[in-house]
Amino acid sequence: MRQAPAILALLALSGCVSAGPRAPAPSAAAVAPPPGWRTTLAQGGPIAAEWWNGFGDPALAALVARALANNPDVEIAAARVDEARAAEALARAQLSPQVGGTVPETQGQTLSPLGTPSRAFGAQPALTASFDLDLFGRLRLASRAARAQLLASEGARDTVRLAVAASAASGYITLRALDERLAIARQTLAARDDALRIARRRFETGYSSRLEYRQAQAEYQATAQLLPAAELAISRQENSLSVLTGDAPRAIARGLPLDRIGRPAIPAGLPADLLRRRPDLFQAEQTLVAADLTLDSQRAAFLPNLALTGNVGVVLSTALSNPVGVFSLGASVLAPIFDGGRLRAQEAAATARRDQAAFSYRRTALTALREVDDALAGVQRSGEQASALERQTAAASGALQNATNRYRAGYSSYLEQLDAQRNLLNAELTLVQARADRLTSNVALFQAMGGGWSPAEVSATGGAARAAPPVPRPAEP
């Protein structure tokens, strides 16, 4: 992932942002992501790329689906999309004529030719219409900016949904790792109990000193304290996942054990173009487009504006034998002459916002490159570490068996067995953490790539999906 020509081409934009003349921002068509990369479903539906199914754990998949359906942050992001959609409809409505109707009622008093006062009633219903010709595209640019802002809000929503899915998957993996740590602590405590029973019997028969018995007691209690700590961590992790799924604290359903959760195949070469699937990059692109269009609309405000108005109606009155039709047509031209520098200040502010969007776009692209490279390195290095720890655990288990046999036969002291027990416990706990890190690195890679990849996209670049090759085991001596 060291080479990323597509993203680096996008980053070239940042070199054009300066105090001098503005460089044109990419158009909406130029920055559109590949079709089908994002969902168009209603609020609460699953996103299109269900990458979490690649881990092969139904409980993990169900947890992610529930989080996407009920997470409050996802609902808030969806509501913001609805707000942006309404703003876009409002901006688009400014391009259409406005038609209204009025029915004012009037009444008055008149005098007859004979001087007899009389009262007359009347009304003048009318239709009014107004239309802004938008000669210089001010309203059209504002409508396009609102459309780009709507797309940016959809990208923000998908960013939240992708983060929620990754958090749910990583949280479930952490929970299964804590379960594994608790199981190891219980197994070790059972072994410590057996060792304590032997040490007590040897002390009571005078075969060993009180020191060995006290050491066995201390080691048993040191292991016993691991259980409540692990149970507390499990309870807190379950509560965290419950809040993530929009539920009150509850127990989380488990599926496969940690060592049986699958690792999705990773292509030998991932194309840099896949980074354009990232919703945060798409959001930054559309934010830049919206800022550039807003600046153009602000500049169009310096030019004259022509508006047409019309009015047609009838005059109805008891004083008239027949209704009288009336109409009016007119046009108004509004041009700024002196505004104390308001328009110039608004343009300067829009220019600054556009430059901020451009720099933010560049930062987002650089962050995407870093996150993908970090995730790829994490998948590789954590896998190597887990393989080495598996061999260390196997060796520590053999060493403990040998030390136990020697201790029971009276050929060595209890300290040898104690050291072997501690080494095995540390190796097992570290192995669990390494396995969890390897799986969470896979989750981070899917999140960094914007939600996974399709076989067609990988084959188009010559990459082949394959699992990481196993580290060869050394020959047994």
Side-chain angles (χ1 to χ4, degrees):
M1 204 58 208
R2 295 294 183 184
Q3 297 179 351
I7 299 300
L8 293 180
L10 299 177
L11 296 182
L13 173 67
S14 61
C16 303
V17 179
S18 63
R22 277 190 311 113
S27 64
V31 298
W37 75 278
R38 263 187 311 110
T39 180
T40 56
L41 299 178
Q43 170 184 350
I47 65 177
E50 296 182 351
W51 48 266
W52 49 86
N53 290 329
F55 292 92
D57 191 334
L60 185 152
L63 184 68
V64 173
R66 186 172 182 84
L68 290 176
N70 300 329
N71 184 265
D73 291 335
V74 174
E75 296 173 348
I76 293 173
R80 288 173 178 169
V81 172
D82 294 338
E83 180 185 4
R85 185 175 292 110
E88 191 265 342
L90 178 61
R92 189 173 60 251
Q94 301 298 320
L95 299 173
S96 303
Q98 299 183 23
V99 180
T102 60
V103 187
E105 180 184 358
T106 61
Q107 66 178 14
Q109 182 174 324
T110 62
L111 295 175
S112 66
L114 299 179
T116 304
S118 64
R119 188 175 298 275
F121 297 91
Q124 186 176 342
L127 291 177
T128 60
S130 62
F131 179 62
D132 194 328
L133 293 182
D134 195 26
L135 296 178
F136 301 100
R138 175 179 56 86
L139 297 180
R140 291 191 296 273
L141 289 169
S143 177
R144 290 173 56 192
R147 175 61 182 174
Q149 197 60 47
L150 171 59
L151 295 177
S153 65
E154 291 179 350
R157 175 202 60 191
D158 292 339
T159 300
V160 172
R161 297 176 71 180
L162 182 59
V164 167
S167 298
S170 299
Y172 177 83
I173 292 171
T174 301
L175 179 62
R176 298 304 286 143
L178 292 173
D179 292 338
E180 189 73 17
R181 292 174 66 92
L182 179 59
I184 292 174
R186 287 173 175 170
Q187 294 172 2
T188 305
L189 184 63
R192 295 289 194 274
D193 182 67
D194 184 64
L196 177 60
R197 186 174 61 255
I198 295 175
R200 181 172 61 249
R201 185 170 62 248
R202 289 166 62 94
F203 166 69
E204 292 174 349
T205 58
Y207 193 76
S208 63
S209 64
R210 182 184 295 271
L211 175 61
E212 289 188 359
Y213 177 52
R214 293 301 188 188
Q215 287 175 334
Q217 284 182 322
E219 198 65 22
Y220 177 85
Q221 296 302 328
T223 306
Q225 62 87 24
L226 295 177
L227 270 65
E231 292 171 347
L232 175 60
I234 289 174
S235 178
R236 289 177 174 175
Q237 187 65 19
E238 285 184 324
N239 294 341
S240 177
L241 288 175
S242 298
V243 173
L244 188 66
T245 57
D247 300 315
R250 61 182 180 88
I252 301 298
R254 266 69 158 183
L256 298 177
L258 185 66
D259 56 349
R260 292 182 56 193
I261 297 178
R263 288 184 294 134
I266 300 175
L270 290 174
D273 289 344
L274 289 179
L275 287 183
R276 296 178 63 83
R277 300 166 60 95
R278 286 176 60 111
D280 59 340
L281 185 58
F282 177 74
Q283 176 189 0
E285 290 173 345
Q286 294 303 321
T287 301
L288 177 56
V289 171
D292 192 70
L293 292 173
T294 301
L295 176 57
D296 290 339
S297 176
Q298 190 62 46
R299 288 183 169 180
F302 286 94
L303 303 176
N305 185 37
L306 177 62
L308 300 179
T309 58
N311 186 300
V312 61
V314 294
V315 177
L316 304 173
S317 175
T318 57
L320 300 174
S321 58
N322 294 312
V324 177
V326 294
F327 72 92
S328 66
L329 294 175
S332 63
V333 178
L334 178 63
I337 297 177
F338 177 76
D339 61 357
R342 292 179 179 85
L343 293 178
R344 185 65 62 184
Q346 292 173 359
E347 183 206 12
T351 302
R353 286 192 294 269
R354 190 270 180 187
D355 291 347
Q356 292 174 34
F359 286 119
S360 177
Y361 179 35
R362 180 176 184 270
R363 180 189 61 188
T364 304
L366 289 173
T367 301
L369 292 172
R370 178 187 62 81
E371 290 179 352
V372 171
D373 201 73
D374 289 348
L376 286 173
V379 170
Q380 180 182 359
R381 302 309 176 191
S382 60
E384 295 173 356
Q385 182 186 18
S387 299
L389 285 170
E390 288 174 356
R391 297 191 294 271
Q392 179 188 0
T393 302
S397 178
L400 175 60
Q401 185 64 37
N402 293 336
T404 301
N405 294 336
R406 289 173 54 85
Y407 169 68
R408 291 181 177 179
Y411 291 111
S412 63
S413 65
Y414 179 69
L415 288 178
E416 289 187 4
Q417 183 186 15
L418 186 60
D419 288 340
Q421 289 176 339
R422 291 172 177 172
N423 292 335
L424 178 59
L425 177 60
N426 292 333
E428 288 177 337
L429 295 179
T430 308
L431 175 60
V432 169
Q433 187 60 47
R435 287 173 174 171
D437 291 343
R438 180 171 55 184
L439 291 172
T440 53
S441 295
N442 279 268
V443 173
L445 179 60
F446 279 111
Q447 183 180 9
M449 296 301 296
W453 47 84
S454 66
E457 291 169 332
V458 176
S459 61
T461 60
R466 65 183 183 186
V471 178
R473 300 176 64 91
E476 296 292 339

